[in-house]
Amino acid sequence: MFDIQKVTIDWAGRPLTLETGRIARQADGAVLATYGETSVLATVVAAKKANPDLDFFPLTVNYQEKYYAAGRIPGGFFKREARPTEKETLTSRLIDRPIRPLFVPGFKNETQVVLTVLSYDMENDPDVVAMVAASAALTVSGVPFMGPIGAARVGYKDGEYIINPTLDQMADTQLDLVVAGTQDAVMMVESEAKELSEEVMLGAVMAGHESFQTVIDGIIDLAERSAKEPWDFQPEDKSAELAKLEELVGADISAAYKIKEKAERYAAVGEAREKAAAQLVVSEENPEGWSEAFFKGIFKSLEAKVVRGDIIKTGVRIDGRALDQVRPILGEVSILPRTHGSALFTRGETQAICVATLGTGEDEQFIDGLEGTSKSNFMLHYNFPPYSVGEVGRMGGAGRREIGHGKLAWRALKAVLPSNEDFPYTLRLVSEITESNGSSSMATVCGSSLAMMDAGVPITRPVSGIAMGLIKDEDGIAVLSDILGDEDHLGDMDFKVAGTTEGLTSLQMDIKIAGITKEIMQTALEQAKGGRAHILDEMNKALDGSRDDVSGNAPRIVTMSIPTDKIRDVIGTGGKVIRQIVEETGAKVSVEDDGTVKIAAVDKESIDAAYKWIHGLTAEPEVGEIYEGKVVKVMDFGAFVNFFGAKDGLVHISQLAEERVKQTSDVVKEGQTVWVKLLGFDDRGKVRLSMKVVDQETGKEIAKEGDDA
């Protein structure tokens, strides 16, 4: 029934098995990849006919995690996997980025790659396994894919690189880097680092690239035994049409791309497009003309040829800058009056309003995943409204791009955050992109760094970020600093670098060609270092360090520790006590399992009241100390005083006043506030208090004769 083909290799000390021919046989390609006990099924299906109305490659990658893979049932009422989680969205993008450039140019058949996590061993992250599985499935499917690729995760600890670290190892590493590429070159990098040098980061990329060569060999071995016949697809030769279009409007496009202002440049390019379309696109007057989609593709190719050629030949870019020149920068802080921290970061025609909000433990985000439910006290959300590029568009929830850009900035900033013990706040950053012409994600990094400092978040150092570009053809190579949107669209690389004065905190690289070499990456990193330093100098003009205190609009948080056996006293039956504390003091109170109590309020009085209440519930009174209390009961032999939380004690009639007291009611009344000193405990453990040794006006102990003044 089955024609099963299987390859097993040893990879970083664990077996990697690739199997095809048993599952999902109706897909064009299907491979089950198992690493350790983590298994991911990859399937590939491509439409048999191209869509002639498209001017792009319609590739969709869907990564999905099934909760049964980890022996779990989804949370919530619905009890089934629903919309993609953030992890699923980010992994889908992670897989899309290195495989998309490797499809043969001109292939327009709708293609879908589906990755399903079937088993998860809580040690080996499925994302890298899914990338390998996708590569193998594409390679055996017969679709025009110029792979295979390999992928690996790289950690770094004690000066050593760790290939495919387990989840336990990742908890104690300075680096989380995922790299993908072919046998000869790197295609994609995604990373989060704790201020590591360019040399260490580049070494990690190369270590990962070297480690997955055996994986590529294994995929080739599997394909030699099981691959389907390659599709008979030959890219269409469009050189004659390109030459015709260049003759018609090549000079117009070249002139348009010398206009520095984006709106004017786009208008000039639009005029050239309309001029060419009028003569070349099919119409009643020109029934033999090109289709609209074909024309769009050829026009974009001409734009790329003209712009790239001009930059390579002249060393001058679209907006007149040198290759390593950064656009004008202005950073401003405290631009919004009621927020906890705010900044406006403008770099050329890219601009972001970044806002920091400080919350309490109640505001932490709950994350449900294969590993279980966890909490996060740091969030960063990125929004890209259509007006930022001067367009009309649909407004809705965050898309894949917004989630991906937000996560990139999150990774870049995470390394400089204070510990929860030093700064017990939940932090949410929001970046509203108000203008965009190149690397709004790096503007988010810079603006968010300023917003955190404005809010008084004690980050270790400011973080700046820059996007690097590449143009590579037979005439030469140009590495570009701080790329424009057009340089991104028409170039070969988008290489984002973020870090502090002490090192890098994040790298993200995407390639549109068949990979880049170590030398090109090294050049880009060195050029980015100078650009980051320049951007940081400009940011420092607005604010070069965190403010001494959090914003007056932000809650104050005080942390105290109580014995774990006293937690129930603070919470009370059904939460009755803690609700009463919150209602009466106005402070937010959270109690953790280890006895840590966080008290938050905007005003100090509420915090003090809640602190005193909780302290009274959990601490033990000390003999010799003076306390303020309230008379709760008057008896013939004395008065009972509630003086320490729920604790009462007896002030014997002989301890009410210095002179002889006939009746207790002559001195105190129920509800009266008094000062008492704890004398000790009687034989039965009852509390003995005294009022007569304490000045009832000041609360100070009355000095005895002979005591020093």
Side-chain angles (χ1 to χ4, degrees):
M1 178 179 289
F2 301 122
D3 179 18
I4 300 174
Q5 299 295 330
K6 187 180 295 187
V7 170
T8 299
I9 62 173
D10 182 77
W11 187 28
R14 278 151 281 166
L16 170 67
T17 300
L18 304 174
E19 177 194 300
T20 189
R22 181 160 60 114
I23 301 174
R25 291 171 295 161
Q26 296 184 49
D28 291 328
V31 170
L32 179 68
T34 301
Y35 190 47
E37 292 184 346
T38 294
S39 298
V40 180
L41 174 66
T43 61
V44 175
V45 176
K48 300 304 179 279
K49 292 184 179 180
N51 186 340
D53 297 327
L54 296 179
D55 62 337
F56 62 92
F57 173 39
L59 170 67
T60 304
V61 177
N62 297 107
Y63 168 88
Q64 51 189 3
E65 296 182 336
K66 299 299 183 178
Y67 279 68
Y68 57 69
R72 297 189 64 235
I73 295 174
F77 292 100
F78 200 40
K79 294 302 178 186
R80 70 174 295 164
E81 295 83 0
R83 65 174 186 172
T85 63
E86 182 181 90
K87 167 73 179 296
E88 290 172 319
T89 297
L90 293 170
T91 305
S92 296
R93 284 172 55 88
L94 197 70
I95 298 168
D96 184 300
R97 286 154 49 195
I99 65 175
R100 183 178 291 272
L102 292 176
F103 282 84
V104 174
F107 185 65
K108 300 293 174 62
N109 300 48
E110 186 172 0
T111 303
Q112 185 177 41
V113 180
V114 178
L115 296 311
T116 307
V117 180
L118 301 178
S119 176
Y120 180 42
D121 61 9
M122 307 296 284
E123 287 188 359
N124 300 288
D125 197 310
D127 55 2
V128 169
V129 183
M131 296 179 78
V132 171
S135 172
L138 284 165
T139 304
V140 303
S141 69
V143 299
F145 175 69
M146 300 181 294
I149 65 164
R153 172 171 270 106
V154 183
Y156 184 74
K157 182 182 178 183
D158 299 330
E160 299 289 335
Y161 296 116
I162 308 170
I163 302 300
N164 293 341
T166 63
L167 258 63
D168 287 342
Q169 290 174 313
M170 285 303 302
D172 191 30
T173 183
Q174 295 173 270
L175 174 67
D176 180 3
L177 181 143
V178 175
V179 56
T182 61
Q183 284 183 320
D184 304 319
V186 175
M187 298 294 301
M188 186 278 299
V189 177
E190 183 80 53
S191 66
E192 173 188 332
K194 296 180 180 177
E195 296 183 290
L196 298 177
S197 69
E198 283 79 2
E199 292 75 20
V200 170
M201 295 294 279
L202 183 58
V205 173
M206 294 300 108
H209 184 261
E210 181 181 352
S211 76
F212 61 63
Q213 296 305 312
T214 57
V215 175
I216 292 178
D217 293 339
I219 294 173
I220 293 172
D221 185 10
L222 182 69
E224 287 174 346
R225 292 192 255 157
S226 61
K228 296 180 179 179
E229 285 297 316
W231 285 32
D232 184 18
F233 175 80
Q234 296 296 326
E236 188 177 355
D237 183 6
K238 302 176 182 177
S239 56
E241 290 85 352
L242 183 62
K244 182 176 182 180
L245 183 63
E246 185 173 11
E247 181 180 355
L248 183 62
V249 293
D252 296 336
I253 292 176
S254 181
Y257 275 103
K258 289 182 174 60
I259 299 173
K260 297 181 180 181
E261 205 277 324
K262 178 182 173 182
E264 293 181 20
R265 180 169 66 251
Y266 277 24
V269 171
E271 290 176 7
R273 185 184 295 108
E274 291 176 6
K275 174 183 174 181
Q279 298 189 40
L280 300 175
V281 175
V282 63
S283 63
E284 291 183 4
E285 297 78 16
N286 183 18
E288 301 298 322
W290 302 345
S291 70
E292 184 69 33
F294 184 86
F295 172 77
K296 285 182 179 179
I298 293 293
F299 192 87
K300 184 176 180 180
S301 297
L302 180 60
E303 284 184 280
K305 180 181 178 183
V306 169
V307 171
R308 293 160 62 89
D310 286 350
I311 292 175
I312 290 286
K313 291 171 189 173
T314 66
V316 178
R317 297 158 64 180
I318 294 171
D319 56 0
R321 284 182 291 150
L323 300 182
D324 61 351
Q325 187 176 353
V326 177
R327 288 170 290 177
I329 290 171
L330 178 62
E332 304 169 71
V333 295
S334 300
I335 64 164
L336 303 174
R338 289 291 297 174
T339 59
H340 299 167
S342 60
L344 179 65
F345 180 83
T346 308
R347 186 191 61 242
E349 294 174 303
T350 296
Q351 185 181 76
I353 294 176
C354 297
V355 181
T357 306
L358 302 178
T360 66
E362 293 180 358
D363 300 307
E364 289 182 333
Q365 180 184 17
F366 284 84
I367 301 170
D368 196 23
L370 292 185
E371 297 86 359
T373 301
S374 60
K375 293 194 293 184
S376 173
N377 64 352
F378 175 43
M379 296 159 276
L380 193 152
H381 298 142
Y382 164 103
N383 298 313
F384 191 88
Y387 67 76
S388 65
V389 287
E391 295 179 357
V392 175
R394 178 178 173 273
M395 298 285 286
R400 283 189 172 191
R401 180 180 181 277
E402 289 176 302
I403 293 172
H405 279 41
K407 191 65 175 182
L408 171 60
W410 183 93
R411 290 190 178 105
L413 296 168
K414 185 183 176 187
V416 300
L417 295 179
S419 68
N420 193 46
E421 290 74 22
D422 294 335
F423 193 72
Y425 287 89
T426 295
L427 171 62
R428 182 186 184 226
L429 295 168
V430 178
S431 174
E432 307 285 358
I433 304 304
T434 52
E435 294 182 35
S436 180
N437 185 14
S439 194
S440 54
S441 62
M442 293 297 97
T444 295
V445 170
C446 300
S448 295
S449 180
L450 289 171
M452 284 195 294
M453 293 190 292
D454 185 48
V457 180
I459 61 175
T460 53
R461 276 169 289 277
V463 180
S464 64
I466 189 170
M468 308 296 293
L470 173 72
I471 294 175
K472 181 177 180 289
D473 59 25
E474 62 273 7
D475 294 324
I477 294 174
V479 175
L480 314 178
S481 294
D482 180 26
I483 55 175
L484 299 172
D486 288 329
E487 292 169 338
D488 182 5
H489 302 148
L490 304 176
D492 297 322
M493 176 179 76
D494 183 8
F495 191 11
K496 298 182 174 75
V497 187
T500 69
T501 55
E502 300 302 308
L504 300 181
T505 56
S506 183
L507 278 185
Q508 185 186 83
M509 186 187 75
D510 294 319
I511 295 295
K512 300 174 187 175
I513 55 178
I516 63 169
T517 63
K518 176 182 178 181
E519 290 71 28
I520 293 176
M521 283 190 66
Q522 193 165 14
T523 300
L525 281 170
E526 286 301 317
Q527 193 165 310
K529 188 174 184 179
R532 286 193 301 108
H534 169 73
I535 294 170
L536 197 55
D537 287 342
E538 295 300 309
M539 291 168 57
N540 288 342
K541 294 177 182 178
L543 197 60
D544 61 0
S546 298
R547 300 196 187 281
D548 294 334
D549 196 6
V550 296
S551 163
N553 297 325
R556 297 290 195 275
I557 297 181
V558 170
T559 302
M560 62 185 296
S561 182
I562 63 174
T564 54
D565 61 352
K566 297 289 186 180
I567 291 176
R568 61 179 180 272
D569 297 331
V570 176
I571 295 176
T573 304
K576 179 181 178 181
V577 175
I578 197 169
R579 282 199 303 270
Q580 185 181 5
I581 295 172
V582 171
E583 290 171 2
E584 295 192 18
T585 66
K588 290 184 177 181
V589 179
S590 64
V591 184
E592 298 176 7
D593 292 340
D594 63 354
T596 300
V597 179
K598 295 178 182 178
I599 307 168
V602 175
D603 60 286
K604 185 176 182 297
E605 291 75 15
S606 295
I607 292 177
D608 290 345
Y611 187 99
K612 183 179 178 181
W613 194 326
I614 295 169
H615 185 265
L617 290 171
T618 59
E620 295 295 335
E622 297 181 25
V623 175
E625 291 295 315
I626 294 174
Y627 299 97
E628 186 178 30
K630 182 180 290 187
V631 178
V632 293
K633 195 170 186 180
V634 176
M635 307 293 289
D636 292 340
F637 53 83
F640 286 97
V641 175
N642 174 233
F643 71 101
F644 192 87
K647 295 185 183 300
D648 294 345
L650 174 66
V651 181
H652 190 267
I653 193 169
S654 64
Q655 294 293 328
L656 288 174
E658 195 63 45
E659 64 276 8
R660 186 174 182 278
V661 177
K662 291 183 178 180
Q663 289 187 356
T664 306
S665 58
D666 292 340
V667 179
V668 294
K669 302 285 190 277
E670 286 190 15
Q672 181 179 342
T673 299
V674 296
W675 291 99
V676 293
K677 179 179 179 179
L678 176 57
L679 299 178
F681 305 89
D682 64 19
D683 296 339
R684 294 178 296 171
K686 300 295 185 181
V687 178
R688 295 188 297 112
L689 303 174
S690 174
M691 285 175 53
K692 72 179 184 180
V693 298
V694 184
D695 187 324
Q696 295 301 309
E697 294 290 330
T698 65
K700 302 293 184 183
E701 187 169 4
I702 299 172
K704 298 178 182 177
E705 290 186 15
D707 289 349
D708 293 335

